[in-house]
Amino acid sequence: MKKKLIILLASNLDPSGGGRETWIANFLNDERIIKRYHSITVIGSDVIKSDKQISFPDNVIVFKDINRPKKFFPGVFYYASFVRKTLKAIYNPSDSFDIISCGSWGESIAFYFSSYFKKSNVNSICWLRSIIVKELARIYPRFMLSICQKLECFILAKYNVLIANGNDTSNYYSKLKIDSVVIANGIQTKDFPLNNCKNVQFQYIGRVSKEKGVLFLIKAIEELNNTCTYDNVFFTVIGDGPNSNDMKHLSSQFDNVHYKGALSPVGVKFELPQANISFHLTLSKDIGGGGVSHSLLEAMATGQRIICWNNDIFNQVKGADLFYKAEEGNVQSLIEQVKLAIKDTNKMDLQYSKEMKDFSLNYDFSVHVKKFCELLG
């Protein structure tokens, strides 16, 4: 008998939400996943209201805690309660389940304390989308981070299957004696044509927040515009987040900086081939993230020149030898790489784009799903 799949994702499932929303949209619309499971259920959260939702196949059922009361406690408490009630309603002891926690924090805590975590007919799976304490460092005081990590690792050690989103993430948790299998993100590479830019067009697509390195990006663009004179060099920023106002201020200062805010997946796909250089500046130290991001892979698939930090997040990627790598957190080093990318782009070397596209094929979504299916057998 086919298994039933349940995915826990504390998200309103808006298609423009971010990496996890991009992943679940591709994952649950993949024919091999649809055929593999008798039914598929997503337990989401409407903590941030949205009138848009990812388009799923007919056999995917979505539950969201739309009646959440006024927020007196951290959202994880409400989500945990909702997950427990929902699992109780759909659980059947005669069925077999794969239950995926899409993340090692809110979803994982909710799953573990649901009472269904240890059921003999439940295969517990956690997909490590990032390094959670580096993300929590943006919002939690430092003294709480060690407590959070101990709780996270205690729960992770109980899972049947752990999947990491990249070698950097897997290595980080391995040092904490938490072993995992690496399945990096994937994209539908055929959906991203090579860019056709004539000018030098820079692009940043992603969350506009500190851990994504945008404060260093803002400083670099300011200094470049104040000290250098370039014709036909433009910067476009797509996304929103805590530092959106900083980006709006930057765009108001310079005519060659355009801030477009958050766009739908269709809008992002339209914008990608309009640029030939892109920034990917996720930090890797006390605050930051981990794993191979969709935005990086999409930029590679369109043949863009990649400007990034010289850290484990980016060095793990196939094709990283072609990246323009700056010393992490060093604005002057970042500016040097920007200047080098401008110089190389002006040479009109078409080979770079083709090579970058070829490397992106290593991360086609078909490879992602194949590895998942082979892992679970």
Side-chain angles (χ1 to χ4, degrees), residues 41-318:
T41 301
V42 179
I43 304 180
S45 172
D46 235 3
V47 60
I48 300 176
K49 301 295 181 183
S50 174
D51 58 356
K52 300 176 183 178
Q53 182 173 295
I54 295 164
S55 178
F56 292 120
D58 292 340
N59 70 327
V60 176
I61 302 169
V62 176
F63 296 99
K64 290 192 283 189
D65 55 341
I66 58 176
N67 297 316
R68 176 178 289 193
K70 185 176 180 181
K71 189 174 180 181
F72 292 107
F73 301 102
V76 64
F77 288 101
Y78 296 112
Y79 186 67
S81 174
F82 178 69
V83 166
R84 183 182 180 89
K85 291 176 183 176
T86 306
L87 288 178
K88 182 178 180 180
I90 63 180
Y91 176 79
N92 187 328
S94 63
D95 290 331
S96 180
F97 297 88
D98 283 339
I99 301 183
I100 299 176
S101 168
C102 191
S104 62
W105 190 237
E107 295 85 358
S108 186
I109 292 172
F111 183 20
Y112 182 75
F113 290 105
S114 69
S115 80
Y116 297 95
F117 187 87
K118 297 181 181 179
K119 297 288 187 181
S120 60
N121 61 335
V122 170
N123 184 30
S124 58
I125 305 164
C126 184
W127 211 310
L128 299 166
R129 307 297 303 174
S130 186
I131 298 171
I132 194 62
V133 293
K134 294 185 179 183
E135 293 195 349
L136 293 178
R138 178 175 56 85
I139 55 176
Y140 283 13
R142 184 179 294 272
F143 76 90
M144 286 187 63
L145 296 179
S146 62
I147 298 173
C148 293
Q149 186 169 80
K150 287 178 182 178
L151 174 60
E152 177 198 22
C153 290
F154 172 79
I155 296 175
L156 287 178
K158 309 294 183 182
Y159 274 90
N160 298 130
V161 179
L162 287 174
I163 303 172
N165 196 27
N167 291 314
D168 63 318
T169 303
S170 180
N171 292 339
Y172 178 90
Y173 283 99
S174 179
K175 293 176 183 177
L176 299 173
K177 299 183 179 180
I178 302 294
D179 294 327
S180 59
V181 175
V182 176
I183 301 180
N185 270 328
I187 60 169
Q188 306 289 358
T189 53
K190 66 181 186 300
D191 292 345
F192 300 94
L194 287 175
N195 73 80
N196 54 3
C197 292
K198 305 304 181 200
N199 297 321
V200 177
Q201 178 65 61
F202 289 88
Q203 191 177 75
Y204 171 84
I205 299 177
R207 183 171 173 78
V208 184
S209 58
K210 183 178 179 180
E211 71 273 15
K212 298 298 183 180
V214 298
L215 298 182
F216 297 105
L217 176 59
I218 289 171
K219 291 178 182 178
I221 293 175
E222 284 179 335
E223 184 165 338
L224 275 165
N225 275 325
N226 287 328
T227 60
C228 302
T229 302
Y230 286 112
D231 293 328
N232 299 320
V233 173
F234 304 93
F235 300 88
T236 299
V237 176
I238 298 167
D240 60 12
N243 295 103
S244 291
N245 287 336
D246 297 313
M247 200 60 75
K248 289 176 183 177
H249 178 67
L250 179 72
S251 66
S252 70
Q253 288 181 293
F254 304 104
D255 292 337
N256 68 338
V257 180
H258 306 284
Y259 177 54
K260 298 192 174 184
L263 297 181
S264 69
V266 173
V268 170
K269 285 182 180 178
F270 173 80
E271 290 290 339
L272 273 162
Q274 314 305 317
N276 43 24
I277 311 173
S278 57
F279 295 102
H280 306 270
L281 302 172
T282 301
L283 302 171
S284 68
K285 297 177 182 176
D286 293 341
I287 184 171
V292 180
S293 73
H294 289 103
S295 63
L296 172 63
L297 299 179
E298 290 167 359
M300 291 173 62
T302 58
Q304 294 181 2
R305 295 180 189 273
I306 305 298
I307 297 179
C308 63
W309 302 126
N310 186 9
N311 64 27
D312 290 343
I313 295 175
F314 301 104
N315 289 334
Q316 68 180 311
V317 179
K318 294 178 181 179

